[in-house]
Amino acid sequence: MSKLMLLHVDARIDLFLGLSNRIEGFMLYKIVATPNNVHWGYFDASLSPVQIVKDGDIIMMEAITHHAGDAPNLMMDKGIEKIFTDIPIEDRNPGVHIMTGPLYVQGAKPGDMLEVEFLAMDVRNPYGANYAAPWGYLYEETDRSERVTIYRADTTNMFVRAVYAYDYPDEYSYPGKIVNDACCCHEAACEGIAVSMAPHLGTAGVAPDLPGRISTIPPGAHGGNIDNWRIGAGAKMFYPVFVDGALFSIGDPHISQGDGELNGTAIEASLDVVIRVKVRRDFYFPTPLLETSNEWLVHGFDVDLNAAMRNTAVDTLRFLTEIKKMSRNDAYSIASIACNFGITQVVDDRKGVHSIIPKSMFKPDLIKFV
């Protein structure tokens, strides 16, 4: 484990930047989220990078939630406010997420894999918003209620509690809308409930090799809005590279979410994120691959949930045969008896399914037979 995980992000990054811009021979960068360092709602292969980095470099990046306006007095500071005021509404498209980046990783070429190791994720402001959105899975069944619940994070004990809730005062009409608190009736919500924190990125990825702006809303082979709560500190993501330099960006930070993201959002809250990037040529995988300390996770996407499940199942067999070198028959058996398939999210146009492959089964030396 990197020594970078020993301190909080702010103190750690400022300390190392103050002493040296190198750690163990690699460069260390800090990317502040400003109107010039973010792009709102899209990936784009023609974007100029905000920073050129090389294999092994460490980067601290500020990730800003586009829901900060749901409780501006609690979730916005001067830096966030400047992004909301300086980027015109007409430039926030076709998606909704504020993306920091992109990073140009030297040496990354189409056909490579970009390894992104998430070293740390710290809460920027200790508040977040959950919005029962019109795109939520049960929007019609909840009488079209657009309810906002504001949560406060206890970063010492790593849980969140609801502070208050209100009904959205008018229609959600554009990304980054700022709500006037005076128009909202604050009501008690979720009393007696504490939810575990799991800071993670809902959206991150590389630029697709497609012309123009590509929406951040649907996930895909490039990454994007995967909304897997396991993409947090200590995890690694592996993205197939489609353009020179990969052009990696992060956004849509969350502090808690369940599999499914049923009402359309997680607890949306800004984060400070520390990553290490590496270029991998020793293997290839066609979709974003997640590694945690105990598991591998394969992702599949489609507008149809059944098709997303099939895509995930096919690529799970691909992982077991091509990366773990199992026969196809063995892989099919193991996928059925040892791999868990779950619904990542059902609310991002393209639905997501993941399979969880336990690492423990690849260590037969730990099992003793009598």
Side-chain angles (χ1 to χ4, degrees):
M1 181 179 293
S2 169
K3 64 184 179 182
L4 278 179
M5 296 185 70
L6 299 179
L7 303 171
H8 285 295
V9 170
D10 290 342
R12 173 179 53 233
I13 221 74
D14 289 338
L15 172 63
F16 283 120
L17 284 174
L19 294 176
S20 172
N21 64 351
R22 290 182 178 271
I23 297 177
E24 302 169 352
F26 298 107
M27 296 295 291
L28 177 69
Y29 298 96
K30 183 176 182 178
I31 310 299
V32 177
T34 68
N36 293 328
N37 286 345
V38 304
H39 44 107
W40 199 319
Y42 60 95
F43 294 90
D44 192 334
S46 68
L47 274 175
S48 298
V50 301
Q51 184 66 59
I52 298 174
V53 301
K54 71 176 189 302
D55 186 279
D57 283 346
I58 296 166
I59 310 100
M60 182 274 197
M61 305 176 74
E62 295 180 346
I64 306 302
T65 176
H66 58 293
H67 278 277
D70 289 347
N73 294 334
L74 300 176
M75 296 176 60
M76 298 185 79
D77 51 40
K78 289 183 179 179
I80 296 175
E81 183 178 357
K82 188 169 179 59
I83 292 172
F84 277 61
T85 56
D86 285 16
I87 298 181
I89 293 171
E90 57 270 20
D91 198 26
R92 307 173 188 180
N93 66 83
V96 297
H97 308 102
I98 301 171
M99 305 298 295
T100 305
L103 301 176
Y104 184 100
V105 184
Q106 290 181 332
K109 300 287 185 182
D112 295 339
M113 299 295 290
L114 181 68
E115 175 187 316
V116 181
E117 181 180 6
F118 296 100
L119 299 175
M121 295 193 187
D122 271 18
V123 175
R124 176 174 176 141
N125 299 318
Y127 293 93
N130 172 250
Y131 172 50
W135 56 87
Y137 194 66
L138 298 179
Y139 179 63
E140 298 294 335
E141 286 83 350
T142 54
D143 299 323
R144 297 174 174 264
S145 173
E146 295 185 38
R147 184 80 163 172
V148 176
T149 307
I150 303 300
Y151 290 85
R152 189 184 191 284
D154 180 337
T155 56
T156 300
N157 298 299
M158 295 299 288
F159 67 81
V160 294
R161 291 186 190 274
V163 181
Y164 62 85
Y166 64 87
D167 292 322
Y168 208 80
D170 47 40
E171 183 183 358
Y172 182 90
S173 57
Y174 59 84
K177 191 169 186 175
I178 299 176
V179 173
N180 183 351
D181 261 356
C183 299
C184 303
C185 178
H186 293 186
E187 300 175 5
C190 306
E191 294 181 292
I193 301 294
V195 176
S196 296
M197 278 182 61
H200 63 279
L201 293 176
T203 305
V206 299
D209 186 18
L210 296 169
R213 295 185 174 192
I214 305 303
S215 174
T216 57
I217 293 175
H222 65 292
N225 195 22
I226 295 176
D227 279 329
N228 190 330
W229 60 264
R230 301 162 186 84
I231 305 175
K236 295 179 182 179
M237 283 291 289
F238 301 87
Y239 301 92
V241 175
F242 298 99
V243 300
D244 287 352
L247 296 181
F248 178 74
S249 301
I250 68 170
D252 191 25
H254 301 163
I255 56 173
S256 190
Q257 183 204 300
D259 284 334
E261 200 182 23
L262 199 66
N263 78 350
T265 66
I267 300 181
E268 316 279 333
S270 299
L271 297 174
D272 293 330
V273 179
V274 180
I275 66 172
R276 186 197 296 265
V277 294
K278 294 181 181 179
V279 179
R280 299 287 297 268
R281 299 189 178 93
D282 54 326
F283 80 101
Y284 181 80
F285 205 71
T287 55
L289 187 62
L290 171 60
E291 181 184 9
T292 71
S293 58
N294 299 315
E295 302 159 338
W296 290 94
L297 288 96
V298 174
H299 297 94
F301 315 107
D302 198 273
V303 294
D304 179 80
L305 193 58
N306 286 327
M309 173 64 197
R310 180 170 292 277
N311 292 340
T312 307
V314 168
D315 279 343
T316 297
L317 295 192
R318 185 195 301 267
F319 176 88
L320 293 173
T321 56
E322 295 183 5
I323 294 180
K324 292 302 182 180
K325 307 303 181 184
M326 299 175 66
S327 71
R328 187 153 182 96
N329 286 337
D330 286 350
Y332 195 25
S333 176
I334 291 299
S336 185
I337 69 163
C339 300
N340 292 308
F341 290 79
I343 298 172
T344 324
Q345 55 75 28
V346 290
V347 294
D348 295 330
D349 292 346
R350 229 174 263 141
K351 298 172 178 64
V353 171
H354 58 265
S355 68
I356 301 175
I357 305 169
K359 289 182 175 180
S360 59
M361 68 181 178
F362 299 109
K363 300 178 181 178
D365 54 305
L366 300 180
I367 304 174
K368 303 297 182 182
F369 291 97
V370 178

